Amino acid sequence: MKTSTIIIEDNVEYCNEIIEKLRLIENVQVLGCFHSLEDALAFLDRGQTADFFLVDIGLPGMDGISGIGEILMRNPETKIAMLTIFDDKELVFNALKNGACGYLLKGESEGRFQKAIEEIVSGGGFFTPSIAQMVLKFFRKKPFSKHKITKREKEILQLMSDGLAKKQISDRLFISYSTVDSHVKNIYKKLHVNCGVQAVMKANEEGLI
Amino acid sequence: MKTSTIIIEDNVEYCNEIIEKLRLIENVQVLGCFHSLEDALAFLDRGQTADFFLVDIGLPGMDGISGIGEILMRNPETKIAMLTIFDDKELVFNALKNGACGYLLKGESEGRFQKAIEEIVSGGGFFTPSIAQMVLKFFRKKPFSKHKITKREKEILQLMSDGLAKKQISDRLFISYSTVDSHVKNIYKKLHVNCGVQAVMKANEEGLI
DNA sequence: CGAAAAATCCCGTGTTTACGGGATTTTTTG
DNA sequence: CAAAAAATCCCGTAAACACGGGATTTTTCG
């Protein structure tokens, strides 16, 4: 059974290019293409659907990123891949957050393109190396933390992130409130923040906890 | 110039298997293999190095995950890929956090294995489809938020996560302190938390912000 | 239109925080 | 060993928070 596919891309020329590429991939059957997200959503609202959507990110009207959410709201099982010339960090992560299964750069070689599509329709995820690189960087703890937090401080930061008050932390660690307070003060200084929320957020971002 | 490669794997048999596979890949030159991380670190401490390390995750003595950090501490430019039979979520993310460039399952087909290695040594990242799937799930916003936060609440949550105090938020949004206080109270109720840190953390986890 | 949801506002109180100033005792490590 | 780093403890105060109780006005939407 082939994977029914819809393309959403406003540039007609490029659209045809993609269709040609997709024709070469077995297991994929192109149902058609729309030139705006609104059209595609109307299609879904008519009760019709597809297994796989290939969506351009820079569409007139509703943009691709918002579109992902809309499509998934109507059909949560759909697989969606973004198609774009940009590899902007924010865009990529926003797309992923909204539920995209993959992110393809338009310049991708034919082989890579095919490979990626195959992975996605078969239920896997796919990142081109540059996207994978971004994801790696995202996860990677920052260079052994300019902010050299001590073991105890890290421990306390962790409990803070669980929502414990200083008093509760002191009880948990069998130390006095004053000690916790001191540690917290030091943490704030090291992270250059001045409240718990910021501290926990920053620690989180920097992979300290 | 070939990528000098070191394998760290305690199972001698499997180690040889890997070497055989790597021999087939041009651009890769296997320097040798160690059967424990300690040995590999000693090698590095002797001033020698390699471009690429392939590290088993389940080693006796120091485990692979901790090892990543140690290796990178001695040679930050090194590329590291984990080799394992498990695709446990925690392990994968911990490896990535510590700086791994890829994560390969031992059962991987020869073709995939080769592909993955090629991507990694050429500076890209690589995720097998199952790992990519995990990463996707990680990013994906949770099922349209059981916790239906309103627009305003989301806005306030965002400012909270920036470390703003309620007073500052009220100034920023041109509303009174009381109003912010009310919104915050509602947020706490909806998220079942009772302090700002928890609220922001939870919102963060659930992809609400 | 008319009800429900969201957004706005106020008061009061006890608790907790942030942060300034200290000081002492372990632990680590060159 | 001796210095440095980490962990422990105390006091005091102004500010901010959590949370209970309200109430009114917009917006949204069937």
Side-chain angles (χ1 to χ4, degrees), chain A residues 3 35 95 205:
Chain A
T3 302
H35 301 308
E205 279 167 20

Side-chain angles (χ1 to χ4, degrees), chain B residues 3 30 32 44 56 62 65 71 74 78 81 111 123 155 158 163-164 174 176 187-188 192:
Chain B
T3 302
V30 180
L44 286 170
D56 186 8
M62 181 185 288
I65 303 269
I71 293 172
R74 288 162 172 78
T78 299
E155 210 175 350
Q158 221 132 23
L164 297 198
F174 304 110
S176 86
I187 291 170
Y188 289 0
H192 305 294

Side-chain angles (χ1 to χ4, degrees), chain A residues 11-208:
Chain A
N11 182 318
V12 182
E13 222 173 288
Y14 188 62
C15 198
N16 289 327
E17 240 177 78
I18 299 169
I19 294 178
E20 282 315 309
K21 282 188 189 173
L22 288 176
R23 280 209 204 292
L24 301 176
I25 306 177
E26 56 174 347
N27 290 335
V28 169
Q29 185 186 18
V30 180
L31 289 187
C33 62
F34 296 106
H35 301 308
S36 81
L37 265 163
E38 286 78 358
D39 291 349
L41 293 177
F43 167 81
L44 286 170
D45 285 335
R46 261 181 265 123
Q48 298 181 273
T49 188
D51 301 322
F52 176 47
F53 283 83
L54 201 52
V55 185
D56 186 9
I57 220 165
L59 292 165
M62 181 186 288
D63 71 291
I65 303 271
S66 323
I68 301 174
E70 294 294 324
I71 292 173
L72 285 172
M73 204 122 67
R74 287 162 173 79
N75 190 349
E77 294 309 312
T78 300
K79 296 182 185 68
I80 302 177
M82 304 307 292
L83 198 55
T84 176
I85 41 171
F86 310 108
D87 62 344
D88 176 75
K89 193 179 150 191
E90 284 308 309
L91 282 181
V92 173
F93 285 127
N94 275 332
L96 295 181
K97 271 191 210 167
N98 279 287
C101 299
Y103 202 99
L104 308 179
L105 296 181
K106 283 191 182 174
E108 222 62 77
S109 75
E110 194 133 338
R112 264 206 219 294
F113 180 82
Q114 186 169 335
K115 190 92 191 152
I117 299 289
E118 277 167 2
E119 293 287 10
I120 294 169
V121 300
S122 69
F126 186 85
F127 302 103
T128 62
S130 63
I131 306 294
Q133 196 78 55
M134 282 172 45
V135 173
L136 283 176
K137 215 181 267 172
F138 174 87
F139 280 108
R140 203 161 188 160
K141 274 192 220 163
K142 303 304 166 294
F144 226 67
S145 349
K146 279 196 306 287
H147 315 291
K148 39 177 185 214
I149 291 291
T150 71
K151 212 173 161 188
R152 198 55 152 176
E153 284 162 356
K154 183 179 168 181
E155 209 175 351
I156 287 174
L157 219 24
Q158 222 133 22
L159 293 173
M160 283 172 72
S161 81
D162 291 338
L164 297 199
K166 290 182 197 167
K167 177 68 177 59
Q168 296 175 299
I169 295 175
S170 72
D171 286 347
R172 181 77 67 91
L173 299 179
F174 304 109
I175 55 181
S176 86
Y177 175 90
S178 309
T179 306
V180 176
D181 194 47
S182 287
H183 284 305
V184 170
K185 275 188 260 186
N186 288 328
I187 291 170
Y188 288 1
K189 263 183 198 144
K190 288 184 182 179
L191 299 186
H192 304 294
V193 299
N194 57 345
C195 78
V197 175
Q198 268 183 305
V200 167
M201 278 281 104
K202 196 151 193 171
N204 206 60
E205 279 167 20
E206 312 218 352
L208 293 172

Side-chain angles (χ1 to χ4, degrees), chain B residues 15-134:
Chain B
C15 197
N16 289 327
E17 240 178 77
I18 299 168
I19 293 178
E20 281 316 308
K21 282 188 189 173
L22 287 176
R23 281 209 204 291
L24 301 175
I25 306 175
E26 57 174 347
N27 291 334
V28 169
Q29 186 186 18
V30 180
L31 290 187
C33 62
F34 295 106
H35 301 309
S36 82
L37 265 163
E38 285 79 358
D39 291 349
L41 293 176
F43 168 82
L44 286 170
D45 285 336
R46 261 181 266 124
Q48 298 181 274
T49 188
D51 302 323
F52 177 47
F53 282 83
L54 201 52
V55 185
D56 186 8
I57 221 166
L59 293 165
M62 181 185 288
D63 71 293
I65 303 269
S66 323
I68 301 175
E70 293 295 323
I71 293 172
L72 285 172
M73 203 124 67
R74 288 162 172 78
N75 189 351
E77 294 309 313
T78 299
K79 295 181 186 67
I80 302 176
M82 303 308 291
L83 198 55
T84 177
I85 40 171
F86 310 108
D87 62 343
D88 175 75
K89 193 178 152 193
E90 284 309 308
L91 281 180
V92 173
F93 285 128
N94 275 333
L96 295 181
K97 271 192 210 165
N98 279 288
C101 298
Y103 202 99
L104 307 179
L105 296 182
K106 284 190 181 174
E108 223 61 79
S109 74
E110 194 134 336
R112 264 206 219 292
F113 181 83
Q114 186 169 337
K115 190 91 191 154
I117 299 289
E118 277 166 4
E119 292 288 10
I120 293 169
V121 299
S122 70
F126 186 84
F127 302 103
T128 62
S130 63
I131 306 295
Q133 195 77 55
M134 283 172 45

